[in-house]
Amino acid sequence: MAKAQNFYKERISRNNILTVGVGPSFAYLDNGGQYRDFNFEIKPAISVALSKKLSAAFDLRSTLGVQFISSGGNPSTPIRDAWFADFASFTAKGPAFFFDIMPNLNLIPFSNHMHRTRVNLYGGVGLGIMHIMTEQTKSFSPEETPTKHQVTTGYVPVRAGLSYSIGPYSDIAGEGTMLWTFSDNLDGNVGFNRFGDHLFQAQIVYRRYFRPKGLE
C-alpha cells in the first residue's frame, strides 16, 4: 500500500526548484585592474533562486543575491594622473545586491522530475535591478577617508549551467553568470574602459525539487 501511495505521489511532478549557490566572482570596472594580465580582485558571490516549471523545456526563475565588488590592480602613473585630472575614483569596494527574473531553457526537456536525465544543460537571459553601495577614494593614500556612494541600475542577466542529478529530488550544478549592467558608474570612475561596469560569477549550486506542502 505504501509503495502504491509513493508511486502515485511521484506521478505528480515537482515543478518548483529551490537553488542556492556560492562561488568566486569579479567585477569589470574602470578601476578594476589589468584584466588581460589577470591582475584584479576575486570576491565571493551568493545567490538564492526559486524556479517554477512552465513546460517540459522551460521554467521561470527569480534570483536574489549579493556580489562583493572591489577595485584592484596596479595602474601606471599616467593612468593615475588622468584619474586625478578627472576627479575619478581610484578605489571602490562594497556589496552589489541584485534581483532578476528570467526564463530558463533546459536543453534536454523533461515532463516529470523523476524522468530528468542524469546530466543536463540549462540557461537563459532575463532582466533585473541592482543596488550597489561602495566606499570610494580619490587616491591611493592610506590617510584619505573613503566616501560612501550608492547606485541603482538595471541589468541583463545571462546564465548557463551544467547540472548533475544526485538523487530523485536534488541536483548539483556548475553555473556561470554575467550581469550586464546599464551603468558605467558603479565605481565612481567613468569612461576609462571601453565597456561599462559588469559583473561575472562562477558558482557551485545545489538545486532541490519540491512541491507545496498542500500537495505532499
Side-chain angles (χ1 to χ4, degrees):
M1 183 66 176
K3 289 185 178 179
Q5 290 178 340
N6 288 336
F7 176 77
Y8 178 77
K9 285 175 62 177
E10 298 310 332
R11 291 178 60 189
I12 304 175
S13 182
R14 296 187 173 222
N15 291 332
N16 302 281
I17 308 170
L18 173 65
T19 301
V20 180
V22 63
S25 66
F26 74 92
Y28 181 82
L29 308 171
D30 294 271
N31 55 22
Q34 292 75 53
Y35 293 97
R36 292 182 179 179
D37 297 329
F38 296 95
N39 186 13
F40 53 87
E41 293 294 316
I42 301 293
K43 296 291 183 180
I46 304 168
S47 66
V48 178
L50 282 175
S51 300
K52 175 69 174 180
K53 194 170 180 61
L54 303 177
S55 68
F58 285 97
D59 54 71
L60 186 64
R61 169 172 168 165
S62 57
T63 303
L64 177 69
V66 59
Q67 176 174 335
F68 295 90
I69 66 174
S70 176
S71 54
N74 184 29
S76 65
T77 299
I79 291 175
R80 298 185 190 192
D81 291 342
W83 289 353
F84 183 81
D86 291 338
F87 200 61
S89 292
F90 283 42
T91 71
K93 61 180 180 180
F97 300 95
F98 57 91
F99 173 77
D100 59 70
I101 296 176
M102 73 171 209
N104 185 73
L105 170 67
N106 296 295
L107 186 63
I108 305 175
F110 57 93
S111 58
N112 185 292
H113 64 282
M114 298 299 292
H115 300 155
R116 70 190 193 279
T117 56
R118 176 72 71 177
V119 177
N120 206 344
L121 286 168
Y122 63 90
V125 179
L127 191 63
I129 188 168
M130 180 184 300
H131 184 70
I132 303 94
M133 298 185 295
T134 57
E135 292 186 348
Q136 301 176 10
T137 64
K138 304 296 184 181
S139 72
F140 288 129
S141 172
E143 299 178 358
E144 181 180 351
T145 301
T147 56
K148 295 183 179 181
H149 301 263
Q150 298 188 42
V151 176
T152 301
T153 183
Y155 68 93
V156 173
V158 181
R159 287 192 183 88
L162 176 66
S163 66
Y164 181 81
S165 173
I166 58 173
Y169 312 133
S170 301
D171 295 339
I172 288 291
E175 189 172 283
T177 301
M178 178 180 70
L179 306 182
W180 191 271
T181 79
F182 302 153
S183 175
D184 190 28
N185 195 28
L186 305 187
D187 55 355
N189 192 316
V190 178
F192 178 71
N193 283 342
R194 179 181 177 184
F195 303 103
D197 297 338
H198 308 299
L199 279 57
F200 298 84
Q201 305 168 4
Q203 294 189 330
I204 296 296
V205 304
Y206 172 75
R207 303 179 354 137
R208 179 75 176 183
Y209 294 78
F210 70 96
R211 291 195 302 268
K213 286 188 176 181
L215 296 178
E216 290 289 349

